Amino acid sequence: MVEERDQVGPPDEGGAAADEIKKVDSTAPAATATDEGQQQQQQQNKGQQQQSHSKVTFNNAGNPAKETARARRRREEAIRRLVADIQVRSDTKYATGGVPAQQDWVVASTVAAALERGLDRDLHHELVLEAKENSAKIGQVCHDHSDVFLASVGKVVALGGPSADLANKLNTSQEEIDAKTAGPMVETAQLWEDAKDSHARAQALHIMVNACQKVAIWLERARKQASLGRPRAALEAVDEARRALTSPMSSLFYGSSMEHAAQLLKEATQQKKKQLEHSGLGAAEDEKKDESNSGGGGSKNVISLEETPFGRRAILMLPKIENEVLMGARRGLNRWFLALRSGGDGAKAGRAILRKCAHSIAVGPGQLGLGGNVPPAYLWRAKVCDNLIARMSQNGRVVRAVRLGYWFERDATKESTRLENQSAPGMDRRAESFASAFGWYRCWEESATLLVDATDFASGDLTTGRGLSGSRHGLTGSKHGLGGSRHGKGRTLGFKASRQSQTRGLELGANALSKSKGSEKEKSKWSELLTPSILFENSATKKDDDAKFAGLAESVHPVRRAEIAFKLLGRAEEFVEYYETNRFGDMKIGGNKNDMDEKNEIRSSLSSLTGDDVSVGTDRIFFAKSLSHLCASVVGFSAVEASLELGNFEEEDDEEKQTSDNLPTTGSSVTIASRFRESSERYERALVTELGNLMRQRAIRGNLGELVRASCLMAAFRTALKVTHPSSSTRRSDKNLLAMDVDILMTALKVAQDEQLQATAAIVAQDRKEPLIADYRYPSRKDGTNIPDPEEVGLPFGLKDLKQPVRSNESVSDLSRSHASFRSSTSSKATDEFYTYSQSVPLVLRSIHARAIACAAFALSQEELGQIFAQKKGSGSACYVLDCVEECVNVAAVGMKDEDNTIDEGSIEKAVQVMANIAALQSCLPRLFGTLMRGMCHVGMIRSNQLEETFQYAESTLKGADKACDNQVGGMYSLVYEICRNKIDAHLNYALDGFNWVAKATRENPNAYCEGLIGYLGGVFASLGPMDEGSRAGLHFSCCGHINERLVKILSERADETTGFEDSLPPITRIDAYGLKNMGRDVQAFEEFAQSTGVPQLSECFLELKCLTGVMVDNDLPVLVKPENSGERQRRYPLLSMPKIGNILEKYVGAGMSLLGTKSSASLLIMDKKEVSTVLRVVRQQ
């Protein structure tokens, strides 16, 4: 400040020596034109003499002070310059002024400068040494030139005479000059003095006007810079104006030409002081003067511009300008805060950062990630996966099934080509690659609905683009849908849809196709399911977001300007407090805003950052919009803080070194930067912690799709934080703060299980439970003998091979009338083949497949997020995915059972179809598990050293899924049998209620109840086509055995023994030989029907009833019942029971006595009452 005040005067006036005294680091003055050789010799001598005392210097107090080498060199250079200025000759002229310098003024100025700089002692010491050196030199010169001098003196003495004559002449001339020129010269001198006074006053006035003009210019510049938001330039102008106002006026008058003007100013100052002393104000004004600003004349003779009327007005404007600078800085800060919070600039930059980080994650190192460059990346992963699987032992069902339906040379090349053509590198390709790795596009149509989100099946219509997706096995226009099914009604869509809905669906499909051709390519279903919308590259706000991110470093200038403004004004602490209050605050959320109870209030940093209450809104809104906005806002906050940290960041090692060496620091700037960094890290940690807690709370109520997208977003979010602001200490705990619950995979498994049950229920509710028609397929040509066939699109995992066997005896049996009506559809032919399952099986299988892929994506994102799961046998995350598939298959089997509707309707066909559907799902499980295992190997969820153990775990989960399906199949088998049994019981109860078994005549045809049962069984057995052979034969035996059991109980049980018949028909009370003969005819009809079904040994189900009816009409009955004939009796009637024969004999109605005698014949035994009593007595005795 002292150097700058000394240089206020104009550079073209004054002495250059004084300027050079003030500037220590400048070069030597131009005015010192002494002999360079002589000065170098003198400096060498002085340097030798100063070596003894240059190491110790004295401060102003006279105390020795330690100095560095640099300070010592600068001090010695300053002293040499001062000495050189004192030694300047009086005839030396300055380059600018052109007036000879007065030696006394130069010496006084040099001494004053030395006093001002505290170099007076050193200057005195140098001058003393210089004087001693000069005295020695003079003595030596006198000694060397004494002879020459004496000779010269002699010559001078010789010139005494001529000199006297010359002196006389000069005296005469002087007298003449005094007499003739004295008067005019005095008058001229007086006029010259008056002119000099006028010129000095004009110069003083000119200097004062120039000084006031400079002050006005500085003030105007300060105001303009303040209005433009440039605090540094504005405050520098204010400082210059204050310096000009407070500097002494004597500093403006320098140089020999200004001495007279300075003297006039001095006299004016003394006169003003006397006036002030006379008025009593002088003492108060003198106390305000600073002695350091005087020009050597003392404080009593000092005035400044501040004391002028102009100066007083100008000095009042300086605080106003400073205040305007502060207000402008605050306005800029407020606009910046508002732009970040309400304008969303931080969130926009955060979205751009998230998008770029997600793209980098998807592309991977060397562009070999799932979303990287194809075909190399995809083919490399597929080949590595295929090689690992090829080394596995073929001892398990999953290991054998993993090779079915896939051939690397065929399928991998096809899938990589599709990825290259259908998707761009990044998150879109990553989602498509993920789905392709799990065999989605090998198994299903591209337009097939995933059936993962509730919106896919909650609409209640799975026909238009949501069912089998218009494939050959779809619902519309194909023999594989209900339109071509023989169970359908005409060519309808099925799923209870009408022709009108079909037409509407076709129109909508055509309109959508026409629009898609002219519009931008839409996102695939897997991209929408696995990728949050904020990470899409073709987002509508991408250009704006990238622009905000690119200008992020420039956008923090308001903070820099405000910081500079407050710091320059000495109010750095106020700036820190103001910034932290507006930047790192929190707000109250939830409940009543006017609630004064601080104990129950909830403070939210996220709400303060975004300006929205994060506690409101549904879970759907949170996962759809709020979560992505919160993540973008937090990333934007970190990016802004990283931008603010540029230029202020100090390494910890440097700080420790500075502290250990006790070196001076930069003061307030380092303090402000460190305080901001600590507050920023603390606030950032609060933001990340609150976001993690909020995510964990909402994840419990989210669906699977939301969890998958949220997990992908959080993985990109954590990566963005590490890339954007790596120096923050919060990065060390991001993993724990953002990680979801350790049981999050179990939560996702539970969510997937519940959603799978809902999806299955929605699919089954629209299924008419009728088998699909199988069209004829030409045998495929194989390129090699060991190349597996590709998966059938729409009917994968072996569904195309599950066909019903064609039985030739179905069409010729006159007892299968209901089965004939079953095939009477106008849209089918008698030669059509049928699958064993209905249209719900591919839909359910597709939903399980898609849900398993979604769970795998969720588990992989959790691993990328840093979550560590409890290791099971094999790879932890892969085993959790397999558990999810097992549970989904379990609940899908339960949902396909549709027990309530099936029991209410009581339809055998539907119950059988449900059972066949579950069995078809079970048959697809090995290949489904194999496809999923290949996909998890492809995406890297299974390491090579864990492959064998993971396959073993897959075998165990497959067994669990098989067991679950077996339980449901067994339950459906029991349900089918229960329905058949109830129908049989109802028919027998209705047909035999009040039936007269005392016939008194034989029948050639079976009884009506027998024909009805045979007709019903024919229809039931004809509808068992979807069943497997074992279940079908078992149900044949169960139904026939139940009929035999019921008829045996009706025939042989006593009337008083009604156990098991509370709600059924009571036993027969009276029956004669003709009734028994007619029942035997019924048994014969049952056997003929059993033989016509083609089930081996089915007729043996009626053997017990045949034995009872046969022995009762056998003429050898009286003999066979004797104990000695038990062997013959057992041989002829192996299932005969003597107690049952006794019960029948008790009900037997004898023929009685007649004139014609008994009517027994060779094939019919008719006994009278006496014979019955005799036989009964023999039977009871055994």
Side-chain angles (χ1 to χ4, degrees), residues 802-824:
L802 300 178
K803 297 180 181 179
Q804 300 182 21
V806 179
R807 295 184 298 276
S808 60
N809 59 348
E810 290 181 354
S811 59
V812 299
S813 177
D814 56 348
L815 299 178
S816 58
R817 292 186 295 272
S818 62
H819 181 50
S821 63
F822 181 79
R823 301 184 52 138
S824 62

Coordinates of all heavy atoms in Angstrom, one line a residue, residues 802-824:
L802 N -45.4 -82.1 -27.1 CA -46.4 -82.6 -26.1 C -47.7 -82.7 -26.9 O -48.6 -81.8 -26.8 CB -46.5 -81.8 -24.9 CG -45.2 -81.6 -24.1 CD1 -45.5 -80.7 -22.9 CD2 -44.8 -82.9 -23.6
K803 N -47.9 -83.8 -27.6 CA -49.1 -84.0 -28.4 C -49.9 -85.2 -27.8 O -49.4 -86.2 -27.3 CB -48.8 -84.3 -29.9 CG -48.1 -83.1 -30.5 CD -47.8 -83.4 -32.0 CE -47.1 -82.2 -32.7 NZ -46.8 -82.5 -34.1
Q804 N -51.2 -85.1 -28.0 CA -52.1 -86.2 -27.6 C -52.0 -87.4 -28.5 O -51.9 -87.2 -29.8 CB -53.5 -85.8 -27.5 CG -53.8 -84.6 -26.5 CD -55.2 -84.3 -26.5 OE1 -56.1 -85.1 -26.8 NE2 -55.5 -83.0 -26.0
P805 N -51.9 -88.6 -28.0 CA -51.9 -89.8 -28.9 C -53.3 -89.9 -29.6 O -54.3 -89.7 -29.0 CB -51.6 -90.9 -28.0 CG -52.0 -90.5 -26.7 CD -51.8 -89.0 -26.6
V806 N -53.2 -90.4 -30.8 CA -54.5 -90.6 -31.6 C -54.9 -92.1 -31.4 O -54.1 -93.0 -31.7 CB -54.3 -90.3 -33.1 CG1 -55.5 -90.6 -33.9 CG2 -53.8 -88.9 -33.3
R807 N -56.1 -92.3 -30.9 CA -56.6 -93.6 -30.7 C -57.7 -93.9 -31.7 O -58.7 -93.2 -31.8 CB -57.2 -93.8 -29.3 CG -56.1 -93.6 -28.2 CD -56.7 -93.8 -26.8 NE -57.7 -92.9 -26.5 CZ -57.5 -91.7 -26.0 NH1 -56.3 -91.3 -25.8 NH2 -58.5 -90.8 -25.8
S808 N -57.5 -95.0 -32.4 CA -58.5 -95.4 -33.5 C -59.8 -95.8 -33.0 O -60.8 -95.7 -33.7 CB -57.8 -96.5 -34.4 OG -57.6 -97.6 -33.6
N809 N -59.9 -96.3 -31.8 CA -61.1 -96.9 -31.3 C -62.1 -95.8 -30.8 O -63.2 -96.1 -30.4 CB -60.9 -97.9 -30.2 CG -60.1 -97.3 -29.0 OD1 -59.6 -96.2 -29.1 ND2 -60.1 -98.0 -27.9
E810 N -61.6 -94.5 -30.7 CA -62.5 -93.5 -30.3 C -63.6 -93.2 -31.2 O -64.8 -93.0 -30.8 CB -61.7 -92.2 -30.1 CG -60.7 -92.2 -28.9 CD -60.0 -90.9 -28.8 OE1 -60.1 -90.1 -29.6 OE2 -59.2 -90.8 -27.8
S811 N -63.4 -93.3 -32.5 CA -64.4 -93.0 -33.5 C -65.4 -94.1 -33.7 O -66.5 -93.8 -34.1 CB -63.8 -92.6 -34.8 OG -63.0 -93.6 -35.3
V812 N -65.1 -95.3 -33.4 CA -66.0 -96.4 -33.6 C -66.8 -96.8 -32.4 O -67.7 -97.6 -32.5 CB -65.1 -97.7 -34.1 CG1 -64.4 -97.3 -35.4 CG2 -64.1 -98.1 -33.1
S813 N -66.4 -96.3 -31.3 CA -67.2 -96.7 -30.1 C -68.5 -95.9 -30.0 O -68.5 -94.7 -30.1 CB -66.4 -96.3 -28.8 OG -67.1 -96.6 -27.7
D814 N -69.6 -96.7 -30.0 CA -70.9 -96.0 -29.9 C -71.2 -95.5 -28.5 O -72.3 -94.9 -28.3 CB -72.0 -97.1 -30.3 CG -71.9 -98.3 -29.5 OD1 -70.9 -98.5 -28.7 OD2 -72.9 -99.1 -29.6
L815 N -70.3 -95.7 -27.6 CA -70.5 -95.3 -26.2 C -69.8 -93.9 -25.9 O -69.9 -93.4 -24.8 CB -70.0 -96.3 -25.2 CG -70.7 -97.7 -25.3 CD1 -70.1 -98.6 -24.3 CD2 -72.2 -97.6 -25.1
S816 N -69.1 -93.4 -26.9 CA -68.4 -92.1 -26.7 C -69.1 -91.0 -27.5 O -68.5 -90.3 -28.3 CB -66.9 -92.3 -27.2 OG -66.9 -92.6 -28.6
R817 N -70.4 -90.9 -27.2 CA -71.1 -89.8 -27.9 C -70.7 -88.4 -27.5 O -70.6 -87.5 -28.3 CB -72.6 -90.0 -27.7 CG -73.2 -91.3 -28.3 CD -74.7 -91.3 -28.1 NE -75.1 -91.4 -26.7 CZ -75.2 -92.6 -26.1 NH1 -75.0 -93.7 -26.7 NH2 -75.5 -92.6 -24.8
S818 N -70.4 -88.2 -26.2 CA -70.0 -86.9 -25.8 C -68.6 -86.6 -26.4 O -68.3 -85.4 -26.7 CB -69.9 -86.9 -24.2 OG -69.0 -87.8 -23.8
H819 N -67.8 -87.6 -26.5 CA -66.5 -87.3 -27.1 C -66.6 -87.0 -28.6 O -65.9 -86.1 -29.1 CB -65.6 -88.5 -26.9 CG -64.2 -88.4 -27.5 ND1 -63.4 -87.3 -27.2 CD2 -63.5 -89.2 -28.4 CE1 -62.3 -87.4 -27.9 NE2 -62.3 -88.5 -28.6
A820 N -67.6 -87.6 -29.2 CA -67.9 -87.2 -30.6 C -68.3 -85.8 -30.7 O -67.9 -85.0 -31.7 CB -68.9 -88.1 -31.2
S821 N -69.2 -85.4 -29.8 CA -69.6 -84.0 -29.8 C -68.4 -83.0 -29.5 O -68.4 -81.9 -29.9 CB -70.7 -83.7 -28.8 OG -70.2 -84.0 -27.5
F822 N -67.5 -83.6 -28.8 CA -66.3 -82.8 -28.4 C -65.5 -82.4 -29.7 O -64.9 -81.4 -29.8 CB -65.5 -83.6 -27.4 CG -64.2 -82.9 -27.0 CD1 -64.3 -82.0 -26.0 CD2 -63.0 -83.3 -27.6 CE1 -63.1 -81.3 -25.6 CE2 -61.9 -82.6 -27.2 CZ -61.9 -81.7 -26.2
R823 N -65.6 -83.3 -30.7 CA -64.8 -83.1 -31.9 C -65.7 -82.6 -33.1 O -65.3 -82.7 -34.2 CB -64.1 -84.4 -32.4 CG -63.2 -84.9 -31.3 CD -62.5 -86.2 -31.9 NE -61.9 -85.9 -33.2 CZ -60.7 -86.3 -33.6 NH1 -60.0 -86.9 -32.7 NH2 -60.3 -86.0 -34.8
S824 N -66.9 -82.1 -32.8 CA -67.8 -81.7 -33.8 C -67.7 -80.3 -34.2 O -68.5 -79.7 -34.9 CB -69.3 -81.9 -33.3 OG -69.5 -81.1 -32.2

